[in-house]
Amino acid sequence: MDSPTSQPRPAKTALSRVEHLPEPLRRGGALQAAAAEQFALKIPAEFASLINWENSEDPLLRQVLPSAQEAAPGGGTDPVGELSSRVAGGLVHKYGHRALLIASSACDIHCRYCFRRHFPYEQAPPSAGRWAEVASYLNQHPEVSELILSGGDPLTLSTRRLSSLTDSLTSVRHLRRLRIHSRTPLVRPQRVDEPLLQWLATLPWPVVLVLHCNHPGELGSGAAQALAELRRLGLTLLNQSVLLKGVNDCEQTLAELSETLFDQGVLPYYLHQMDPVQGASHFAVADQRARALVNALRNRLPGYLVPRLVSDPPASESKKILA
Ligand code: SF4
């Protein structure tokens, strides 16, 4: 199915192509069709196999199914204020010591609450031709000690393109860490193949892989295998989740998520208050409720399994810790 930057297919076609979708959801309505036209439906096979298609409120299905509720007012198209921090070659330099590279405009899955669902990728399409520009900018900014590969999802790039990117970064002598933000090992675990593992194993920097998992039901057998391979390389594996109404706004679900992640060698890192993006206000959880959930987790889990509750205000120099 489509990447965020390609022309959306007619929504009816997109919805009707989801073979398991129950008839009432497949038919949808005009507002649901409009939502799918604005941000195309995309569900990879492994993730689809974990959905309970008989339950229209399934927490995995809810994350990916276009909804009429997306037409509700509220939210913006640049909710964390990234557009004014774009500098060179797809780099976003919002925080002093870290820079973020929009390495790819594509994702393996389209999450309806995505804070970059309106990101104008077409204005500066990520491409191999721009890696030299990225290295040049970083070389002029010795304060940047960590580069974050993001997107889209950087692991949608071929391993050859990833290698070409990291080859061009070796000239940046002050870079101390490479961080990769990715949902791919969970939603399309077969991407964690031998060439990718070899690329990761030979990188000259310590690598921190920050996964994005919101619900324990997303951690199927394919993901477990992919995570075991990544663990063997000695990468630091962290997870960030987004707190989403009707998906994981429940103490039991969040506790089980932390336990299941740890079983697979991943530490819960951040629980994000959802960025106020246009089209996703139906997922929002009030700050007071979010804090109560995290405090409840503190009472039942060891501290290292309690993610930090954070938000990412537009003009801030760092994330804001809420609990
Ligand atoms: S994988 Fe990440 S970047 Fe891609 S749609 Fe989901 S939340 Fe957005």
Side-chain angles (χ1 to χ4, degrees):
M1 294 186 205
D2 298 323
S3 77
T5 51
S6 52
Q7 285 297 314
R9 291 189 175 90
K12 270 196 147 171
T13 311
L15 290 171
S16 63
R17 279 189 299 134
V18 182
E19 60 181 284
H20 308 287
L21 200 61
E23 193 51 31
L25 295 177
R26 187 186 296 265
R27 277 200 309 276
L31 289 177
Q32 186 188 26
E37 236 177 83
Q38 197 201 46
F39 186 40
L41 175 85
K42 189 171 189 181
I43 314 174
E46 175 85 13
F47 193 88
S49 73
L50 300 171
I51 291 173
N52 173 3
W53 293 93
E54 302 307 316
N55 175 12
S56 62
E57 296 301 316
D58 179 87
L60 274 58
L61 181 60
R62 203 169 145 71
Q63 292 179 57
V64 292
L65 189 69
S67 161
Q69 292 173 294
E70 293 177 39
T77 54
D78 179 25
V80 301
E82 290 185 307
L83 298 188
S84 57
S85 301
R86 288 177 299 175
V87 284
L91 273 175
V92 176
H93 196 182
K94 186 177 169 199
Y95 303 142
H97 297 277
R98 307 179 291 290
L100 180 146
L101 178 63
I102 303 285
S104 168
S105 59
C107 292
D108 287 303
I109 186 168
H110 284 179
C111 315
R112 307 311 298 176
Y113 53 84
C114 178
F115 74 104
R116 290 204 185 110
R117 56 179 285 174
H118 305 283
F119 193 88
Y121 293 104
E122 70 290 350
Q123 286 178 9
S127 73
R130 311 196 75 186
W131 303 153
E133 220 182 307
V134 171
S136 164
Y137 179 87
L138 293 175
N139 271 318
Q140 290 162 45
H141 289 268
E143 75 278 14
V144 177
S145 54
E146 178 170 308
L147 179 67
I148 302 169
L149 302 187
S150 184
D153 195 310
L155 297 188
T156 57
L157 294 181
S158 69
T159 305
R160 189 177 51 77
R161 292 187 73 192
L162 287 169
S163 299
S164 125
L165 166 59
T166 49
D167 285 352
S168 66
L169 293 173
T170 52
S171 69
V172 187
R173 299 276 178 225
H174 54 273
L175 212 55
R176 299 182 70 161
R177 285 176 303 282
L178 188 70
R179 195 195 315 180
I180 300 171
H181 282 181
S182 181
R183 198 147 155 70
T184 292
L186 308 179
V187 304
R188 188 168 61 95
Q190 64 274 25
R191 172 68 184 99
V192 182
D193 56 11
E194 207 41 49
L196 185 78
L197 292 167
Q198 272 175 24
W199 170 69
L200 286 166
T202 52
L203 288 173
W205 313 277
V207 176
V208 182
L209 178 57
V210 183
L211 300 155
H212 171 183
C213 180
N214 299 317
H215 190 280
E218 294 170 38
L219 293 159
S221 58
Q225 205 179 327
L227 292 174
E229 298 287 351
L230 293 164
R231 217 165 45 233
R232 257 193 286 282
L233 295 182
L235 310 186
T236 300
L237 298 180
L238 304 175
N239 182 63
Q240 53 184 348
S241 307
V242 182
L243 185 59
L244 300 165
K245 191 172 181 179
V247 174
N248 58 8
D249 59 331
C250 152
E251 179 190 334
Q252 176 59 31
T253 302
L254 290 172
E256 190 51 35
L257 175 60
S258 282
E259 297 273 17
T260 312
L261 285 165
F262 187 76
D263 289 345
Q264 303 191 10
V266 183
L267 279 176
Y269 171 42
Y270 279 150
L271 176 63
H272 287 263
Q273 262 297 40
M274 190 188 71
D275 301 309
V277 66
Q278 197 178 89
S281 54
H282 54 294
F283 285 114
V285 176
D287 281 353
Q288 196 184 9
R289 165 102 181 116
R291 286 195 178 96
L293 282 167
V294 171
N295 287 333
L297 289 182
R298 277 207 184 94
N299 290 333
R300 68 186 274 175
L301 294 172
Y304 56 87
L305 289 190
V306 180
R308 268 168 286 179
L309 178 68
V310 293
S311 67
D312 196 357
S316 167
E317 294 262 307
S318 64
K319 293 201 194 294
K320 188 170 156 199
I321 310 275
L322 301 175

